[in-house]
Amino acid sequence: MLLQDPSLRQKVVTAIRKRGISVDTAVCEAFAEFAAIFDSSDNDVIRERAADCRDLGQQLRRELAGEAEPLCSDDTAGAILVTDELMPSFVLQAWEHKAEGFAVSQG
């Protein structure tokens, strides 16, 4: 949904045209701004979406740069994966690779 948000697209396009910055920088700034909005919410559930927003921005930047490497390897089947923060893109790939579960220190 966020990737289809016209205001996000407008922020990126405007930053590129008016400030002459790279697409990568414009995407990074736009997603950081959206994440800050989520972070500032009084609602716990909304605040938790800030990490999702940052993750989505990172995924988009990797795709645009042609660097969309898998986050999990094929040998994760049956494994318990340990991570500092559990991002949605990591969870999806881990389940696709048949990981058994996660151990997380935060997130």
Side-chain angles (χ1 to χ4, degrees), residues 4-19:
Q4 298 173 350
D5 188 315
S7 64
L8 176 67
R9 176 182 164 84
Q10 189 59 43
K11 283 183 185 300
V12 171
V13 170
T14 299
I16 293 167
R17 288 184 180 158
K18 291 192 176 184
R19 295 176 35 221

Side-chain angles (χ1 to χ4, degrees), residues 1-87:
M1 291 288 198
L2 185 58
L3 287 178
Q4 298 173 350
D5 188 315
S7 64
L8 176 67
R9 176 182 164 84
Q10 189 59 43
K11 283 183 185 300
V12 171
V13 170
T14 299
I16 293 167
R17 288 184 180 158
K18 291 192 176 184
R19 295 176 35 221
I21 62 176
S22 70
V23 172
D24 181 67
T25 301
V27 168
C28 184
E29 289 179 359
F31 275 89
E33 187 175 324
F34 271 74
I37 292 168
F38 290 124
D39 274 331
S40 68
S41 175
D42 293 334
N43 184 303
D44 290 341
V45 174
I46 299 296
R47 275 196 314 275
E48 290 173 6
R49 299 292 66 87
D52 298 343
C53 182
R54 285 188 285 274
D55 182 45
L56 184 59
Q58 290 171 355
Q59 288 180 69
L60 178 58
R61 291 174 63 211
R62 283 193 303 267
E63 285 288 336
L64 291 171
E67 301 171 353
E69 297 287 325
L71 299 174
C72 295
S73 64
D74 289 334
D75 62 353
T76 58
I80 304 277
L81 305 176
V82 180
T83 184
D84 289 330
E85 188 173 7
L86 198 55
M87 299 304 238

